[in-house]
Amino acid sequence: ALYVIDEVGGVNGLLEGDAEVVDGQLTLSGTGYVSFPANSIAINEYESVTIETFFNQAEGLSGYTTLFGVGRKGTGEDAWKGMDYFQYQPTREDNISKLAVSTLYEAEPWVNESSVNAGMMTDTLTHYVVGVLTATEVTLYIDGVLIGSEPLTGTNALASIVPESAFLGWGVYGNDPKWQGNVEEFHIYDGVMTDLEVEQRFRAYMGDNYFNPLLETLSFSKGELSPVFEQEEFDYVLTVPYGTTAIDLNAETVVPSAKFVVFDGSNNELDANAPITFGEDGIALSISVTAIDGTTTVDYYVDVVWAEGTTSAALSDIELSVGNLRPAFTAEVTEYAAILPAGTTSVTVDAVPMWPDAVVSDDGVIEVTEGSAEI
């Protein structure tokens, strides 16, 4: 038999089915799990108990899965029921996650639960769950944050949990599917972890990058950014050439898995991979970056404005009386060919300045000799 080794208490877990330990993590495919000698753990003899785990879940997991559970299974026609238990379910058919205790209630144990509910786990990121059970209440933390505490009601009691079975990746409800994913750490403590201890434990384990929402780079296809970009400078002005109506944004986060979203001044989300368009009044942009933890955010603000028209030496168009311009006109391109009909002896070229008061020279009627001309 293969075991997961309890390096502290010596209560080793048996790898059931195809459960395996890979690179120091317990890997569960949905057919395997770990069983512990629950009577050796005997959490019913504790005055209070804290169970903590770091894990990442398989993609698309749903249904009533149990990450960890201690209690007993029913017998006979009730063999599918879980009884006298303490368990955490990261996914459920009612789209929540739940830390629950239910004891001394055999007819419908799930109705008698004292529980704390949270949103269902739906992603594949590493999460940290801490469940605390005392003589009076049950408490749930997720990712270092207190979700809530609820008093034990009815016959529910830590001392009444029956230490017949203890599972990691399955529960005492025999018909429920097995959990899928990787368990990075799993601990059972005699006692209560405080709010501060939970938060510090999470931050120390995850590391600074998990909470880092900063940009590594920020630039645009046109214009001058002021001040020069710095990761912890959040307010900028981008001065673009007079008449500019579209720019491309280029940004990278310090931590590659962090995400950012771009909004305009009316809080409309923009496609960060498409040109950002605007008129002569410019545009106010906000770039909201969220760290891997999903909650730590910062906002970078960029006011895009046109430069003064007096600085503009660009054209807004080149119009021909006959023929076609190749390539099609854009303000950034300064060299073109005019394809004219055979035998053309002159063409009127109207060069339109971007700023109306700019002076344009050398356009007008152009004589074409021997089939060509250059201006």
Side-chain angles (χ1 to χ4, degrees):
L2 297 177
Y3 294 88
V4 290
I5 305 302
D6 178 2
E7 297 179 347
V8 178
V11 183
N12 299 330
L14 179 63
L15 293 170
E16 308 274 11
D18 65 351
E20 59 180 343
V21 176
V22 180
D23 296 330
Q25 295 187 6
L26 172 65
T27 299
L28 301 175
S29 70
T31 58
Y33 59 96
V34 175
S35 61
F36 294 94
N39 59 341
S40 296
I41 301 172
I43 68 170
N44 58 314
E45 297 178 7
Y46 295 9
E47 291 186 6
S48 56
V49 62
T50 297
I51 299 180
E52 71 164 357
T53 180
F54 288 92
F55 65 95
N56 57 82
Q57 190 167 273
E59 185 175 4
L61 195 60
S62 62
Y64 291 103
T65 67
T66 303
L67 183 58
F68 61 77
V70 180
R72 70 180 179 93
K73 295 179 180 294
T75 59
E77 64 181 14
D78 289 333
W80 62 275
K81 290 182 182 178
M83 298 183 181
D84 304 323
Y85 57 81
F86 179 47
Q87 67 179 15
Y88 172 68
Q89 295 175 303
T91 72
R92 290 169 51 91
E93 290 184 3
D94 50 6
N95 295 320
I96 63 172
S97 63
K98 174 184 280 193
L99 179 72
V101 57
S102 178
T103 60
L104 303 178
Y105 195 81
E106 295 193 0
E108 295 179 318
W110 57 93
V111 174
N112 193 48
E113 289 178 344
S114 300
S115 65
V116 182
N117 301 337
M120 189 168 82
M121 295 290 180
T122 58
D123 58 47
T124 60
L125 299 175
T126 293
H127 289 287
Y128 176 52
V129 165
V130 176
V132 179
L133 182 59
T134 70
T136 59
E137 64 183 5
V138 58
T139 301
L140 174 64
Y141 299 84
I142 296 179
D143 293 345
V145 177
L146 173 64
I147 301 302
S149 296
E150 292 294 334
L152 299 184
T153 57
T155 59
N156 294 328
L158 171 56
S160 298
I161 293 173
V162 176
E164 176 185 289
S165 300
F167 298 116
L168 188 55
W170 198 28
V172 290
Y173 283 87
N175 290 344
D176 286 350
K178 297 176 179 66
W179 183 81
Q180 302 176 47
N182 301 304
V183 179
E184 301 173 20
E185 287 195 16
F186 178 67
H187 305 112
I188 300 176
Y189 302 110
D190 183 357
V192 174
M193 291 179 69
T194 66
D195 294 1
L196 181 59
E197 287 172 331
V198 171
E199 179 184 1
Q200 290 177 337
R201 174 89 167 102
F202 180 58
R203 287 187 170 274
Y205 184 90
M206 301 305 297
D208 291 341
N209 278 349
Y210 190 77
F211 307 95
N212 189 333
L214 298 176
L215 288 180
E216 175 73 21
T217 62
L218 175 64
S219 63
F220 295 86
S221 57
K222 299 178 186 177
E224 180 178 348
L225 195 64
S226 179
V228 175
F229 175 75
E230 296 285 348
Q231 292 180 4
E232 296 189 22
E233 174 66 45
F234 303 110
D235 293 284
Y236 298 90
V237 174
L238 178 70
T239 303
V240 297
Y242 180 89
T244 300
T245 57
I247 54 173
D248 295 319
L249 179 150
N250 304 292
E252 294 181 357
T253 53
V254 172
V255 181
S257 297
K259 306 294 183 184
F260 68 86
V261 182
V262 182
F263 299 94
D264 66 14
S266 299
N267 208 35
N268 298 308
E269 184 175 343
L270 305 178
D271 184 351
N273 297 311
I276 297 170
T277 60
F278 50 90
E280 62 180 329
D281 293 331
I283 189 171
L285 301 176
S286 61
I287 304 163
S288 183
V289 190
T290 303
I292 301 174
D293 70 347
T295 58
T296 306
T297 62
V298 298
D299 293 316
Y300 293 84
Y301 298 96
V302 181
D303 283 328
V304 182
V305 298
W306 281 5
E308 292 294 332
T310 55
T311 67
S312 175
L315 297 178
S316 64
D317 200 3
I318 299 176
E319 300 173 351
L320 305 178
S321 58
V322 293
N324 298 288
L325 206 62
R326 294 290 185 272
F329 178 83
T330 54
E332 293 78 15
V333 176
T334 58
E335 295 188 5
Y336 298 88
I339 309 303
L340 307 177
T344 298
T345 58
S346 68
V347 56
T348 301
V349 178
D350 185 12
V352 183
M354 188 73 72
W355 184 51
D357 292 335
V359 177
V360 178
S361 60
D362 297 329
D363 62 347
V365 178
I366 307 301
E367 300 298 328
V368 180
T369 59
E370 298 183 357
S372 67
E374 184 173 343
I375 62 169

